[in-house]
């Protein structure tokens, strides 16, 4: 029953094989979920829009959850497995960092997720995260290194820093200083779009 | 006019008994009014101070970057020079101890911190510690933190690239009712931030400025002005946020507001009880005086002059009563804390406030006149003609009726104004006033029915009951007015505990509730069982396990949620935009919530294949804020999946149960397969074990955040416990004052019966029969009036709770029964007492009169 | 004519019984200084007639002209002052203010009228009724006869054109009644005042120069 339901839901959300289009899954946190802006204003939706106007046959699925950590990555990815994802944009880890969770654990979580995605035949785009300097040099350094190491290990497409040009700029962020505003989301979309286009 | 004033004063001294009871009643009411108001304002001040100490300031402004020159200018302009300021820089950082790094919240404070309250450290240099940490790289934290880093006193922790010595530990640093923080706090001097290398481009830092203004400054006005100015400056959502002490904890503030409203209600109640009782006394007095008015008019006084005579008396009596009541209050207030040790929060300093003193004076003098105005209108029905003939003016002229009607107007307006002020809304005030008026009419009608019914009862009863019932219906008007007065009194008296319990239930800790110590958040689905087992191994229990799925509300009844929100926000104040919500599901509602409207969610699992919307249960507050009704269709986007449900019920969530609660609960089955995390709590952990358990959870399940909520909860419970005690105390006080009023009404009524009693005596009735007749008569009025009033007050108090106090209502029949019994007894006993006095008098004296 | 009653009729509405005709077309005039008794059986309408003359009630038709002024058209307040200045009333039940002393009771009407020499007038009239030594007593401390004497003093203190009395001796025993009646007539005679007295005491009626008898609301 459960399985049947699950299949049904997936059929329901993602008209799977009827389109031969490319399915892009964003697995991220509040930045990708667009906390504080409308869902349509979050960069995954913006990318979807741009790709469609450019004539690509794509379907963007935004599976991002605010506040989520890498610990949830694998189980969430499994939830989307049946949607036959072609490209996975893995943009998790910021919350692990902000909450000061051990980087080793984070690396483990991401590692498992990438491994699973590769086995499932997805192309992977790993979005690198950085932690604000106030967390201390050693932590921010080892945090950053996780992404570099993983990108190397699995030779996945690597965006060195998801918030390139946005992070730390008050003009592009909301009052809390951490979540990109509308303009910020647009810049991220442009930035990430390049990497996706390479894969299409 | 001077002549009539002189006459008025003379009358007061000549009618000592009336004057005494009039003043007594009035001053009891006024004393209640001043005492309650003073108590209320003292309590509010006390609570405000409490909240202010929690915030450490009158208000604060917070931004994620330093203020720009422009912003600084705006701020300076509005705040003016007359203030004290403290700056703070707050951020999270990985702090290194002996052999481990952990997340901590760094609070870099300046030498003015805290503006309110004190900094407590475990040595005797609390007062100088702040200046010490400004000059030297010393850090302050709670002892637990040092222990968790494996540090001893005097050793250092590393924050950024700088070492800070931990020489002293803070006691009770965490007053934060504001928010629950992820990490322990470390205080350092603001100047010592240099050299840590942590504050640079990209750092996530909160810049906070605390402000303190001289006592009596209108803080709300300043913050409102500032907010508006920032908003105008940004043309949209300001990047600067302002918090005042009321936003420390909104729910708490609301509860305090409710409490103030409740006290206001009691104050009005006390005043109106007194007003009704005095008006009643005055009516009796005036009845005796009607002949004198006739005489005055027959020898040339105009009607106006006759009225003036009585206004003059009322003025003096009212003035005397208010002076007396101020005196009473001055004596009573200091005694409050002594007598009621443990009932009133300690440290609460009650003082008479000038406003309520002035109010009492005006209310006493003007109020006495206003309340008695409908009675004075009788003067307009006086005809000196009665001096010549035994005329019965039973049916007053149209003019008299109009005058009586108009006479009620000022009392009505006074009531309207008072209740509008106290409820802070004209609509609410009007509802309240009209409700009261309606109640009086209902009482009148019911009394009319009862005493007409007595006619039939008298035919079917034995001698004594026959006489009693006959007396009641023959003196129908007097019976009805006594009935209405007593029932109004009982009504007001019973309203108070009724509403009290509603509010108190909200405030009081639910019985048998386990107060959580730790909240565990972000428990992954696959971690749930391992965590459960792990906690069990440590001899604890994981409780309140709630699944959380995050999603968005896309539309309500087809209208885009965001658009709807925006439309509503424009009308009300701009709120922080929240677009993602937590959804949960549960098999059984917890003891902290109950359905207030609609039907429970079905236990059946929702079938994805059906095209039927699933069922949704909403928190009442959420539904109210978003104007959602039962039966509304809500659409969600839960991680890419569109889902549609229908609202079937509203839940009222007991916020102070400190259990995980959700705005939206969905029917079983909806969230089964969605990716989710779990929230759970652990209660009853010994203080000594807490840090250890926390560390163990962190070591084994590093992604799970463990939040210690005990301090927050204790803080709130401390405040609510105090509120709860005060509410109880006020209710008892009001009941007592009310019973005194009822006594004086009954006493007056009994006195009026003296003539009849005497007649019965002369006609040879046995004393016991006389006693039986009078006690039956009064018992009957007392009983019917109070029973009926109790019933009405249950209904009305429900309405009041519904309208004014967020539907906080619970059925309290015990008080009702108590009040009915006491009222009936008071009526019977006072009547008996009066009867006995008449019986004891020699017949000859009675003949003379 | 100090008082002229013209075609006065008066009826009172009775519950469930329609109007009760109390006075029908009564007309008479009284000259200055005349003493008149209005007599008749109970219910004949004499008290009603008195109340109309005193302006305490208004007739259904007809008019009452007192000292040249038709009192029926006046507003209530104006009438009150007019009545106080022109007439003095003496009631069967005395109707003194219970909380005022004899002297204060006597002073009251002239105080209301804001006369001059209040003290002097009051004391002089109290002397005339023979109560100088009891002036500080409350009505409750005075006998019935004394009370009525205070009432007479109060009625006379304004020096009215017409003195109206309603059974002035009705509440007194015969002996006291005679004393009070003597006093009343002495005072009226000595000041050449007009007196209208309602009574069914034939002795009292016979002391008046004129007697008007009412029967079933009509003068006979």
């Amino acid at each position: 029953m459960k399985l049947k339901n699950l299949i049904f839901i997936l059929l329901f959300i993602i008209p799977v094989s009827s389109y031969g289009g490319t399915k892009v899954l964003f697995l991220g946190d509040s930045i990708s979920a667009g906390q504080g802006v409308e869902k349509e204003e979050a960069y995954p939706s913006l990318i979807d829009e741009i790709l469609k106007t450019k004539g690509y046959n794509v379907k963007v699925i935004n599976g991002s959850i605010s506040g989520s950590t890498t610990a949830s990555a694998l189980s969430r990815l499994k939830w989307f497995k049946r949607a036959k994802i072609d490209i996975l944009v893995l943009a998790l880890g910021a919350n692990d960092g902000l909450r000061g969770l051990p980087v080793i654990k984070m690396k483990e979580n991401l590692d498992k997720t990438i491994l699973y995605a590769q086995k499932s035949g997805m192309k992977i785009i790993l979005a690198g995260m950085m932690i604000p300097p106030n967390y201390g040099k050693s932590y921010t350094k080892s945090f950053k290194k996780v992404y570099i190491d993983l990108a190397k290990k699995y030779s996945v497409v690597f965006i060195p820093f998801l918030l390139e040009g946005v992070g730390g700029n008050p003009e592009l962020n909301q009052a809390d200083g951490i979540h990109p505003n509308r303009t910020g989301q647009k810049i991220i979309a442009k930035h990430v779009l390049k990497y996706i286009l390479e894969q299409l | 006019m001077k002549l009539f004033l002189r006459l008025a004063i003379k009358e007061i001294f000549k009618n000592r008994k009336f004057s005494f009871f009039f003043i007594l009643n009035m001053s009891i009411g006024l004393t209640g009014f001043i005492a309650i108001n003073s108590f209320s304002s003292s309590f509010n001040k006390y609570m405000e101070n409490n909240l202010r100490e929690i915030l450490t300031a009158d208000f604060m402004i917070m931004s994620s970057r330093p203020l720009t020159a422009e912003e600084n200018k705006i701020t300076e302009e509005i705040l003016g020079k007359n203030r004290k300021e403290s700056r703070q820089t707050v951020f999270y950082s990985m702090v290194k101890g002996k052999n481990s790094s952990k997340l901590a919240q760094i609070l870099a404070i300046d030498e003015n911190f805290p503006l309110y309250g004190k900094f407590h450290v475990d040595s005797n240099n609390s007062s100088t510690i702040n200046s010490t940490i400004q000059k030297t790289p010393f850090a302050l934290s709670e002892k637990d933190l040092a222990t968790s880093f494996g540090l001893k006193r005097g050793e250092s922790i590393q924050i950024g690239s700088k070492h800070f010595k931990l020489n002293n530990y803070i006691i009770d640093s965490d007053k934060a009712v504001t928010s629950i923080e992820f990490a322990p706090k470390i205080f350092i001097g603001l100047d010592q931030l240099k050299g840590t290398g942590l504050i640079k481009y990209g750092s996530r830092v909160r810049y906070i400025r605390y402000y303190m203004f001289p006592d009596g400054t209108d803080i709300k006005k300043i913050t409102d002005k500032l907010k508006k100015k920032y908003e105008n400056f940004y043309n949209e959502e300001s990047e600067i946020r302002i918090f005042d002490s009321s936003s420390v904890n909104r729910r708490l503030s609301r509860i305090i507001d409710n409490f103030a409203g409740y006290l206001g209600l009691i104050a009005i109640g006390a005043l109106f009880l007194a007003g009704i009782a005095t008006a009643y006394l005055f009516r009796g007095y005036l009845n005796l005086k009607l002949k004198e008015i006739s005489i005055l008019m027959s020898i040339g006084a105009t009607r106006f002059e006759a009225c003036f005579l009585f206004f003059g008396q009322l003025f003096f009596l009212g003035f005397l009563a208010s002076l007396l009541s101020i005196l009473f209050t001055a004596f009573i207030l200091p005694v409050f804390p002594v007598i009621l040790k443990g009932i009133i929060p300690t440290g609460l300093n009650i003082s008479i406030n000038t406003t309520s003193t002035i109010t009492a004076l005006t209310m006493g003098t003007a109020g006495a006149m206003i309340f008695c105005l409908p009675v004075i209108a009788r003067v307009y029905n006086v005809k000196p003609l009665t001096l010549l003939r035994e005329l019965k003016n039973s049916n007053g002229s149209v003019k008299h009726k109009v005058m009586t009607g108009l006479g009620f107007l000022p009392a009505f307006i006074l009531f309207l104004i008072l209740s509008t002020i106290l409820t802070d809304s004209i609509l609410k005030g009007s509802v309240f006033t009209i409700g009261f008026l309606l109640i009086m009419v209902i009482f009148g009608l019911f009394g009319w029915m009862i005493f007409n019914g007595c006619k039939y009862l008298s035919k079917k009863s034995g001698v004594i009951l026959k006489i009693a019932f006959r007396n009641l219906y023959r003196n129908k008007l007097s019976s009805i007015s006594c009935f209405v007065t007593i029932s109004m009194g009982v009504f007001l008296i019973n309203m108070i505990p009724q509403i009290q319990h509603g509010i108190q239930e909200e405030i009081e800790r639910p019985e048998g509730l386990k107060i959580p110590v730790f909240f565990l958040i972000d428990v992954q689905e696959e971690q749930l069982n391992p965590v459960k087992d792990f906690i069990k191994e440590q001899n604890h229990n994981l409780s309140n396990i709630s699944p959380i799925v995050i999603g968005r509300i896309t539309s309500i009844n087809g209208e885009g949620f965001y658009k709807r929100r925006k439309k509503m926000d424009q009308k009300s104040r701009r709120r922080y935009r929240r677009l993602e919500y937590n959804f949960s599901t549960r098999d059984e509602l917890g003891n902290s919530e109950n359905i207030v409207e609609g039907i429970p969610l079905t236990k059946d699992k929702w079938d994805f294949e059906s095209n039927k919307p699933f069922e949704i249960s909403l928190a009442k507050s959420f539904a109210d804020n978003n104007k959602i009704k039962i039966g509304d269709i809500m659409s969600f986007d839960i991680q890419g999946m569109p889902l549609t449900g229908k609202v079937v019920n509203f839940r009222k969530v007991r916020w102070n149960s400190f259990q995980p609660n959700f705005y939206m609960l969905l029917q079983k089955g909806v969230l089964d397969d969605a990716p989710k995390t779990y929230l759970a709590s652990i209660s009853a952990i010994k203080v000594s074990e807490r840090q250890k358990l926390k560390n163990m959870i962190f070591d084994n399940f590093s992604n799970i955040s463990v939040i210690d909520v005990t301090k927050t909860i204790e803080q709130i419970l401390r405040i609510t416990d105090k509120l709860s005690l005060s509410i109880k105390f006020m209710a008892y006080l009001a009941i007592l004052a009310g019973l005194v009023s009822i006594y004086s009404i009954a006493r007056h009524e009994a006195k009026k019966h003296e003539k009849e009693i005497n007649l019965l005596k002369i006609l040879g009735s046995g004393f016991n029969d006389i006693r039986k007749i009078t006690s039956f008569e009064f018992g009957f009025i007392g009983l019917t009036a109070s029973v009926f009033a109790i019933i009405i007050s249950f209904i009305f108090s429900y309405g009041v709770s519904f309208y004014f106090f967020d539907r906080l209502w619970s059925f309290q029949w015990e008080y009702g029964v108590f009040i009915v019994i006491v009222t009936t007894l008071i009526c019977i006993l006072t009547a008996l007492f009066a009867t006995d006095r008449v019986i004891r008098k020699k017949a000859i004296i009675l003949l003379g009169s | 004519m100090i008082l002229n009653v013209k075609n006065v009729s008066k009826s009172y509405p009775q519950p469930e019984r329609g109007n009760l005709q109390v006075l029908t077309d009564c007309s008479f005039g009284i000259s200055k200084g005349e003493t008149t008794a209005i007599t008749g059986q109970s219910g004949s309408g004499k008290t009603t007639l008195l109340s109309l003359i005193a302006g305490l009630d208004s007739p259904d038709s007809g008019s009452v002209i007192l000292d040249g002024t038709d009192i029926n058209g006046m507003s209530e307040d104006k009438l009150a002052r007019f009545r106080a200045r022109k007439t003095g009333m003496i009631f069967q039940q005395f109707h003194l203010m219970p909380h005022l002393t004899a002297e204060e009771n006597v002073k009251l009407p002239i105080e209301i009228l804001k006369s001059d020499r209040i003290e002097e007038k009051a004391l002089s009239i109290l002397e005339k009724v023979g109560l100088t030594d009891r002036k500080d007593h409350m009505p409750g401390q005075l006998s019935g006869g004394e009370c009525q004497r205070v009432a007479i003093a109060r009625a006379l203190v304004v020096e009215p054109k017409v003195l109206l009395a309603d059974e002035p001796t009705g509440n007194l025993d015969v002996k006291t009644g005679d004393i009070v009646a003597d006093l009343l007539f002495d005072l009226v005679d000595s000041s050449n005042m007009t007196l209208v007295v309602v009574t069914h005491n034939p002795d009292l009626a016979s002391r008046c120069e004129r007697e008007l008898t009412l029967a079933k609301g009509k003068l006979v």
Side-chain angles (χ1 to χ4, degrees), chain B residues 53-210:
Chain B
E53 268 186 41
I54 291 168
L55 189 73
T56 74
D58 287 318
F59 72 92
M60 65 183 224
I61 60 180
M62 194 170 89
S63 55
S64 57
R65 52 171 173 73
L67 296 192
T68 62
E70 189 90 22
E71 287 162 349
N72 254 327
K73 217 181 106 195
I74 293 174
T75 315
E76 287 296 319
E77 222 175 80
I78 288 171
L79 299 191
K81 289 272 169 279
N82 205 2
R83 54 148 217 258
K84 225 176 137 188
E85 186 175 328
S86 168
R87 294 193 185 200
Q88 210 177 85
T89 302
V90 181
F91 58 91
Y92 285 96
S93 190
M94 295 301 279
V95 172
K96 217 164 138 191
K98 222 170 212 162
N99 36 34
S100 63
S101 275
K102 270 186 191 143
L103 189 70
Q105 192 184 19
I106 312 294
L107 295 98
I109 56 174
D110 70 2
E111 68 278 2
N112 287 333
F113 180 86
L115 294 174
Y116 289 100
K118 266 187 200 124
F119 217 30
H120 290 291
V121 291
D122 63 351
S123 55
N124 48 11
N125 54 355
S126 283
S127 49
T128 55
I129 192 73
N130 196 351
S131 58
T132 313
I133 64 168
Q134 297 303 326
K135 286 176 227 135
T136 46
F138 285 170
L140 296 169
S141 78
E142 294 218 5
K143 202 176 172 190
D144 278 355
L145 177 114
T147 322
S148 74
F149 278 102
L151 295 172
K152 288 193 201 78
R153 198 189 286 270
E155 291 182 317
S156 292
I157 47 165
Q158 190 186 338
I159 302 172
S161 39
K162 193 169 175 176
H163 289 269
F164 288 83
K165 225 181 206 174
L166 270 172
N167 272 342
N168 295 293
Y169 298 131
I170 308 171
I171 309 160
D172 194 27
S173 72
D174 220 337
K175 279 186 172 170
V177 184
T178 338
S179 58
I180 289 167
E181 302 286 358
F182 277 109
K185 288 174 174 171
I186 298 173
F187 289 89
I188 59 170
L190 193 56
D191 293 338
Q192 297 300 323
L193 212 49
K194 276 175 271 166
T196 57
L198 294 176
I199 309 300
K200 50 174 123 175
Y201 182 78
S203 289
R204 194 197 173 191
V205 178
R206 278 179 292 164
Y207 296 89
I208 301 175
R209 294 178 185 199
Y210 291 102

Side-chain angles (χ1 to χ4, degrees), chain C residues 91-177:
Chain C
F91 302 97
Q92 182 178 5
Q93 270 99 5
F94 328 134
H95 292 322
L96 297 176
M97 297 291 281
H99 299 304
L100 301 183
T101 62
E103 186 190 343
E104 286 165 337
N105 261 296
V106 173
K107 275 182 184 170
L108 200 54
I110 40 179
E111 280 177 320
I112 291 172
L113 291 174
K114 300 193 179 71
S115 305
D116 50 354
R117 300 183 292 124
I118 290 172
E119 190 83 24
E120 194 188 318
K121 282 179 183 168
L123 288 176
S124 119
I125 200 84
L126 274 168
E127 201 189 331
K128 282 183 191 161
V129 297
L131 283 175
T132 310
D133 54 336
R134 310 218 68 174
K135 68 179 167 62
D136 293 325
H137 285 67
M138 293 291 174
Q141 298 163 317
L142 298 171
S143 70
E146 286 168 329
C147 280
Q148 193 61 304
R149 280 194 277 165
V150 176
I152 292 169
R154 185 181 64 184
L156 290 174
V157 76
V158 292
E159 293 159 6
K161 290 268 178 2
V162 182
L163 191 61
L164 303 170
D166 178 30
E167 294 284 12
T169 60
N171 244 19
L172 305 169
D173 58 80
V174 180
K175 206 179 148 203
T176 318

Side-chain angles (χ1 to χ4, degrees), chain B residues 174-376:
Chain B
D174 220 337
K175 279 186 172 170
V177 184
T178 338
S179 58
I180 289 167
E181 302 286 358
F182 277 109
K185 288 174 174 171
I186 298 173
F187 289 89
I188 59 170
L190 193 56
D191 293 338
Q192 297 300 323
L193 212 49
K194 276 175 271 166
T196 57
L198 294 176
I199 309 300
K200 50 174 123 175
Y201 182 78
S203 289
R204 194 197 173 191
V205 178
R206 278 179 292 164
Y207 296 89
I208 301 175
R209 294 178 185 199
Y210 291 102
Y211 293 102
M212 176 187 183
F213 283 83
D215 248 359
T217 313
D218 189 348
I219 302 299
K220 202 176 165 332
K221 202 172 139 196
I222 296 178
T223 52
D224 283 350
K225 216 165 146 192
L226 205 58
K227 272 178 200 163
K228 212 164 184 180
K229 198 91 190 211
Y230 285 149
E231 257 165 44
N232 287 344
F233 185 67
Y234 285 103
N235 213 1
E236 212 195 319
E237 202 172 343
S238 162
E239 290 174 18
I240 303 161
R241 289 207 238 141
I242 297 165
F243 296 97
D244 57 19
S245 52
S246 70
S247 48
V248 166
N249 188 309
R250 280 185 198 287
R251 278 166 172 158
L252 206 54
S253 298
R254 212 193 62 219
I255 286 292
I256 293 171
D257 280 353
N258 271 349
F259 179 66
Y262 165 76
L263 287 181
L265 194 82
I266 300 179
I268 289 196
L271 198 67
F272 269 73
L273 253 174
I276 290 168
T278 43
Y280 192 83
L281 286 180
F282 186 68
R283 204 191 66 135
Y285 171 70
L286 197 67
N287 273 343
L288 297 174
K289 293 281 154 183
L290 288 179
K291 201 181 91 185
E292 286 174 37
I293 298 171
S294 294
I295 299 173
L296 276 174
M297 285 172 69
S298 77
I299 58 172
T302 60
R303 240 174 241 287
F304 175 76
E305 284 164 340
C307 283
F308 185 82
L309 173 63
F310 288 93
F311 272 126
Q313 287 180 50
L314 287 173
F315 179 85
F316 283 115
L317 287 173
F319 186 70
L320 282 175
S322 33
L323 281 185
L324 200 66
S325 60
I326 291 167
L327 213 72
F328 273 175
T329 322
F331 278 110
I332 285 175
L333 282 185
V335 185
F336 269 21
V338 181
I339 303 176
L340 302 155
K341 215 168 185 184
I343 293 189
I344 300 190
T346 45
L348 171 62
N349 197 0
I350 310 169
S351 57
I352 303 185
N353 71 352
T354 24
T355 5
S356 51
T357 309
I358 295 166
T359 327
L361 271 176
T362 35
M363 293 287 270
T365 38
M369 291 192 264
I370 285 174
F371 277 117
C372 297
L373 211 54
V375 182
I376 284 196

Side-chain angles (χ1 to χ4, degrees), chain A residues 25-33 43-44 62-70 72-73 76-77 88-96 106 110 113-114 124-130 143 147 157-159 161-163 188 192:
Chain A
L25 172 68
F26 286 84
L27 208 55
D29 48 36
S30 53
I31 295 167
S32 311
Y43 77 88
N62 191 354
S64 305
I65 302 174
S66 290
S68 59
T69 59
T70 55
S72 66
R76 280 160 64 196
L77 183 59
L88 167 70
V89 182
L90 187 56
L92 279 167
N95 286 312
D96 299 58
M106 180 177 99
L110 289 173
T113 313
I114 295 169
I124 298 153
I125 300 174
L126 179 64
M129 300 283 165
M130 279 188 224
F143 183 87
Y147 292 92
V157 180
F158 182 50
I159 308 172
F161 183 34
L162 179 67
L163 297 175
I188 302 170
V192 176

